[in-house]
């Protein structure tokens, strides 16, 4: 019998209720931190967090992007989610405006997890929770 795949399951939270994911990241000092992000499949950027959090995570700079939220500051961070098979660098962005918008639904949200991040895993939801699973390939 095949063992079950690793999974992260989080109840919806906030008002209105939104899907949440906990993303493990490696800080520049080597420590592991976890951020709670609002899962947003309509977001074309992998991760958007606040600028203060970015300063703890930025491996190197990347090009900025101009959006309807203003400038998103580009940078590379290190995903640290071995329980789901994710340990890699990822292009991310920082914007206090986006982080504050996510926080209006729930103060625990530190930003957004967009489709490029979600597609690194299997994801979905049911009436009670949103889940991420390690891929089978």
């Amino acid at each position: 019998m095949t063992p079950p795949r690793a999974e992260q399951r989080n109840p919806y939270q906030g008002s209105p209720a939104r899907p949440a994911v906990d993303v493990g990241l490696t800080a520049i000092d080597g420590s592991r931190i976890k951020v709670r992000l609002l899962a947003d499949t309509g977001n074309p950027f992998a991760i958007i967090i606040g600028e203060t959090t970015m300063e703890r995570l930025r491996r190197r700079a990347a090009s900025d992007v101009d959006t309807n939220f203003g400038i998103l500051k580009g940078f590379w961070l290190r995903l640290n989610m071995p329980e789901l098979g994710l340990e890699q660098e990822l292009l991310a962005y920082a914007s206090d405006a986006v982080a504050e918008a996510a926080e209006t639904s729930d103060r625990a949200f530190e930003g957004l997890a967009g489709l490029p991040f979600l597609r690194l895993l299997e994801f979905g939801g049911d009436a009670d929770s949103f889940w991420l699973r390690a891929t089978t390939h």
Side-chain angles (χ1 to χ4, degrees), residues 93-133:
Y93 294 89
S95 166
D96 287 341
V98 172
E100 289 167 10
E103 196 176 90
T104 62
S105 181
D106 191 297
R107 294 191 55 80
F109 289 132
E110 297 182 56
L112 301 177
L115 193 56
F117 167 77
L118 296 169
R119 290 186 64 194
L120 296 172
L121 301 155
E122 291 181 9
F123 65 93
D126 56 28
D128 300 315
S129 60
F130 186 81
W131 52 263
L132 301 174
R133 287 187 191 131

Side-chain angles (χ1 to χ4, degrees), residues 2-137:
T2 305
R5 286 181 284 155
E7 179 179 274
Q8 179 188 119
R9 186 172 287 269
N10 296 305
Y12 298 104
Q13 68 183 76
S15 179
R18 303 290 184 102
V21 296
D22 292 322
V23 179
L25 303 165
T26 301
I28 54 176
D29 68 3
S31 63
R32 184 175 191 239
I33 66 170
K34 184 170 62 171
V35 294
R36 172 138 300 186
L37 302 176
L38 189 159
D40 179 2
T41 59
N43 174 9
F45 306 106
I47 290 177
I48 305 174
I49 56 176
E51 293 177 34
T52 301
T53 305
M54 173 197 66
E55 292 301 327
R56 296 179 56 202
L57 300 168
R58 181 176 46 197
R59 302 269 170 207
R60 62 186 187 281
S63 297
D64 297 342
V65 177
D66 192 6
T67 72
N68 59 323
F69 276 94
I71 299 293
L72 302 183
K73 295 180 180 177
F75 70 104
W76 289 88
L77 56 69
R78 179 107 186 135
L79 287 176
N80 186 341
M81 301 175 72
E83 68 280 6
L84 294 175
L86 289 180
E87 291 191 65
Q88 67 187 63
E89 286 200 351
L90 185 68
L91 177 61
Y93 294 89
S95 166
D96 287 341
V98 172
E100 289 167 10
E103 196 176 90
T104 62
S105 181
D106 191 297
R107 294 191 55 80
F109 289 132
E110 297 182 56
L112 301 177
L115 193 56
F117 167 77
L118 296 169
R119 290 186 64 194
L120 296 172
L121 301 155
E122 291 181 9
F123 65 93
D126 56 28
D128 300 315
S129 60
F130 186 81
W131 52 263
L132 301 174
R133 287 187 191 131
T135 59
T136 56
H137 54 288

